[in-house]
């Protein structure tokens, strides 16, 4: 057994959550290892919906255009009825983008394609996952975590400052910590399979037997591939033949058609739907993210998105504490993210109930644009605001004009690992400049101007107000000019040195 030198963070699990966290740490220069017990990348489509808020995250991570180029919009659903009639309808609510919300349509991107782009991005920072490397034990103390790994070169022990379990619903990390995972089994077992088939056009999400949990089946063309995804409930007990012949027979039985043939199976799974939430997300120097912390039915396309945003929330906080910020900052991860997962469990479960009735429609509630942390200890308002944008809310986008005359976007100003301080109609900076803080004055004579009034409309600031935006695109603080002194204490609490 070999003993390896210290790194800051060990990430166990190289799915979407682990990859997001790795990218966040890599672009901040935090040392880490990303391990995955599987020998190869996951090759299924399971999390195929990329919601508008996650698209904003991917823009910040520098991968949105690549993701969009690989995927596509959700197709219309085509429902085949027993009487031979066919109807078509939209699966997702179509709303035009706005200046404050530039992305309004969920994307369909098979999970294996999304994770492939994320691995490419990680490689650009000089890192890659270690496949075939499993976490087999760990112990923690006040100073760090000692972890035992079993990899392709045998067993090794490493010492890290923090361990993050991104290792899925059956999380070894969660079990080892003996953290409860209460919830319920939802009494629904289903298959999902990625297949090559003939007999159906790729212009629609084909649905048969809607509202009948014995006969329902859906066949959806997977954007960016030649594959279809087959989904459907199956009996709670018994073996299911997931071969090409077995799936062809199942499709024929449920559709009443003998012209649909499954030619090959790329990936297939039979699973029981659960809604569960970990009792806690942090125990000492160990954290849970993604499915290790919460699991819910796939209805509504919330799982991958919630997992990515867990990691996006934790990454900048780990980096800040690694650089000297107070350890208490890490407590805000569970404080902010666990209530979000609890709400997602309720939403996904209610959407499952609607699906049982044959209703697949999804609206704004799945977009995750309204998620915020207004109750967080990191939300500061001076004076307290009575409406409009609040501290803790998602920071809206807005088109601006640079002093040099070129068009700018707020999201361009936010992009990166820094905090952003926005002063509206201010004459001078509220705090001195310092590393990791970008200060912009939005006014005539400032470095950016709000000529279209979009910033004023989205943020609702009075002249002289300041809005401090966190690295993850949420409003940390909104303070009036007379209270600008409170920003110094706030910045100190998140790791900035006073008058650095």
């Amino acid at each position: 057994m070999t003993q390896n030198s210290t790194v800051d963070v060990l990430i166990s699990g190289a799915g979407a959550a682990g990859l997001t966290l790795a990218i966040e740490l890599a672009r901040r220069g935090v040392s880490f290892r990303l391990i995955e017990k599987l020998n190869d990348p996951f090759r299924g489509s399971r999390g195929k919906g990329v919601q508008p808020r996650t698209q904003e995250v991917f823009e910040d991570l520098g991968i949105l255009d690549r993701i969009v180029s690989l995927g596509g919009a959700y197709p219309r659903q085509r429902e085949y009825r027993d009487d031979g009639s066919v109807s078509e309808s939209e699966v997702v609510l179509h709303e035009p983008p706005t200046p404050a919300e530039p992305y309004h349509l969920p994307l369909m991107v098979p999970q294996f394609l999304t994770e492939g782009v994320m691995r490419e991005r990680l490689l650009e920072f000089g890192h890659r996952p270690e496949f075939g490397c499993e976490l087999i034990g760990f112990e923690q103390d006040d100073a760090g975590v000692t972890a035992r790994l079993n990899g392709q070169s045998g067993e090794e022990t490493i010492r890290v400052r923090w361990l993050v379990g991104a290792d899925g619903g059956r999380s070894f990390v969660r079990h080892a910590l003996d953290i409860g995972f209460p919830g319920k089994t939802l009494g629904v077992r289903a298959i999902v399979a990625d297949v090559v088939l003939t007999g159906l056009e790729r212009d629609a999400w084909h649905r048969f037997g809607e509202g009948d949990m014995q006969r329902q089946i859906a066949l959806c063309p997977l954007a960016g591939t030649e594959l279809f995804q087959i989904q459907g409930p199956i009996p709670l007990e018994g073996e299911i033949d997931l071969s090409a012949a077995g799936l062809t027979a199942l499709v024929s039985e449920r559709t009443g058609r003998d012209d649909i043939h499954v030619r090959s199976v790329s990936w297939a799974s039979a699973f029981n739907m659960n809604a569960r939430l970990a009792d806690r997300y942090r125990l000492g120097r160990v954290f849970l993210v993604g499915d290790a912390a919460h699991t819910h039915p796939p209805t509504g396309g919330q799982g991958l998105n919630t997992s990515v945003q867990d990691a996006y929330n934790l990454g900048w906080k780990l980096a800040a504490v690694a650089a000297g910020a107070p350890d208490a900052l890490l407590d805000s991860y569970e404080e902010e993210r666990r209530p979000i997962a609890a709400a997602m469990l309720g939403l996904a479960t209610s959407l499952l109930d609607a699906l049982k009735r044959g209703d697949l429609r999804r609206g704004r509630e799945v977009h995750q644009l309204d998620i915020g942390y207004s109750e967080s200890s990191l939300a500061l308002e001076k004076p307290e605001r009575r409406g409009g944008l609040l501290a803790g809310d998602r920071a809206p986008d807005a088109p601006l004009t640079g002093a040099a005359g070129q068009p700018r976007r707020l999201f361009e100003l936010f992009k990166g690992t820094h905090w952003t301080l926005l002063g509206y109609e201010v004459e001078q900076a509220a705090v001195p400049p310092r590393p990791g803080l970008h200060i912009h004055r939005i006014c005539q004579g400032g470095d950016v101007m709000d000529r279209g009034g979009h910033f004023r409309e989205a943020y609702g600031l009075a002249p002289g107000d300041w809005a401090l935006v966190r690295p993850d695109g949420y409003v940390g603080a909104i303070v009036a000019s007379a209270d600008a002194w409170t920003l110094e204490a706030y910045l100190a609490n998140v790791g900035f040195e006073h008058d650095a």
Side-chain angles (χ1 to χ4, degrees), residues 94-115:
H94 280 261
E95 288 185 345
T98 67
E101 297 176 351
Y103 311 113
H104 258 201
L105 281 182
L107 290 172
M108 181 190 291
V109 191
Q111 186 170 339
F112 66 88
L113 292 180
T114 298
E115 291 181 359

Side-chain angles (χ1 to χ4, degrees), residues 130-153:
E130 300 174 42
F131 288 101
C133 185
E134 183 176 4
L135 176 67
I136 58 174
F138 63 88
E139 297 175 350
Q140 64 172 314
D141 52 49
D142 291 344
V145 181
T146 302
R148 290 187 296 118
L149 311 179
N150 188 18
Q152 295 175 350
S153 56

Side-chain angles (χ1 to χ4, degrees), residues 92-338:
V92 297
L93 180 68
H94 280 261
E95 288 185 345
T98 67
E101 297 176 351
Y103 311 113
H104 258 201
L105 281 182
L107 290 172
M108 181 190 291
V109 191
Q111 186 170 339
F112 66 88
L113 292 180
T114 298
E115 291 181 359
V117 171
M118 298 173 88
R119 287 192 298 274
E120 285 179 11
R121 184 64 172 143
L122 187 60
L123 192 58
E124 290 170 0
F125 290 110
H127 298 273
R128 65 178 78 223
E130 300 174 42
F131 288 101
C133 185
E134 183 176 4
L135 176 67
I136 58 174
F138 63 88
E139 297 175 350
Q140 64 172 314
D141 52 49
D142 291 344
V145 181
T146 302
R148 290 187 296 118
L149 311 179
N150 188 18
Q152 295 175 350
S153 56
E155 284 195 23
E156 64 173 311
T157 299
I158 66 168
R159 181 74 173 165
V160 297
R161 292 177 70 177
W162 297 286
L163 166 65
V164 178
D167 50 350
R170 297 185 177 92
S171 171
F172 171 80
V173 174
R174 190 187 67 243
H175 282 292
L177 292 173
D178 198 25
I179 291 176
F181 202 42
K184 57 185 178 181
T185 299
L186 298 174
V188 177
R189 185 175 176 227
I191 61 160
V192 58
D194 299 345
V195 306
V196 175
L197 59 76
T198 55
L200 287 174
E201 297 295 321
R202 296 188 63 85
D203 62 343
W205 189 335
H206 306 273
R207 309 187 67 85
F208 300 82
E210 285 300 311
D212 184 338
M213 290 299 282
Q214 310 305 313
R215 295 175 48 239
Q216 248 186 66
I217 196 163
L219 302 98
C220 179
L222 284 172
T225 76
E226 297 179 353
L227 302 169
F228 276 78
Q229 184 188 71
I230 300 176
Q231 298 169 299
I234 54 175
L236 291 173
E237 304 293 338
E239 290 295 313
I240 298 295
D241 185 352
L242 296 175
S243 68
L247 290 172
T248 297
L250 179 68
V251 169
S252 177
E253 175 190 339
R254 296 203 180 181
T255 64
R257 291 171 54 167
D258 58 10
D259 61 330
I260 305 172
H261 296 280
V262 175
R263 301 299 184 185
S264 62
V265 180
S266 172
W267 171 80
S269 175
F271 64 98
N272 287 293
M273 293 189 189
N274 287 277
R276 299 186 180 277
L277 179 63
D279 282 336
R280 54 197 303 181
Y281 280 23
R282 178 189 188 187
L283 188 58
R285 291 182 166 270
V286 186
F287 299 83
L288 302 176
V289 299
D291 290 351
H294 45 78
T295 183
H296 32 80
T299 40
Q302 301 296 291
L304 179 143
N305 297 273
T306 304
S307 299
V308 164
Q309 291 172 54
D310 284 346
Y312 191 57
N313 182 289
L314 180 60
W316 70 265
K317 296 173 181 177
L318 281 172
V321 176
D327 182 78
L329 178 61
L330 294 174
D331 290 331
S332 68
Y333 165 63
E334 176 178 320
E335 175 194 9
E336 292 182 346
R337 292 303 301 171
R338 193 172 179 276

Side-chain angles (χ1 to χ4, degrees), residues 77 79 89-92 207 209-213 216 299-300 348-363 365:
Q77 65 172 339
E79 186 178 335
S89 60
E90 297 291 346
V91 177
V92 297
R207 309 187 67 85
E210 285 300 311
D212 184 338
M213 290 299 282
Q216 248 186 66
T299 40
T349 304
S350 67
L351 289 171
L352 175 63
D353 291 339
L355 180 64
K356 291 177 182 177
R357 300 189 299 270
D359 182 3
L360 186 70
R361 289 169 299 173
R362 300 164 187 168
E365 74 277 5

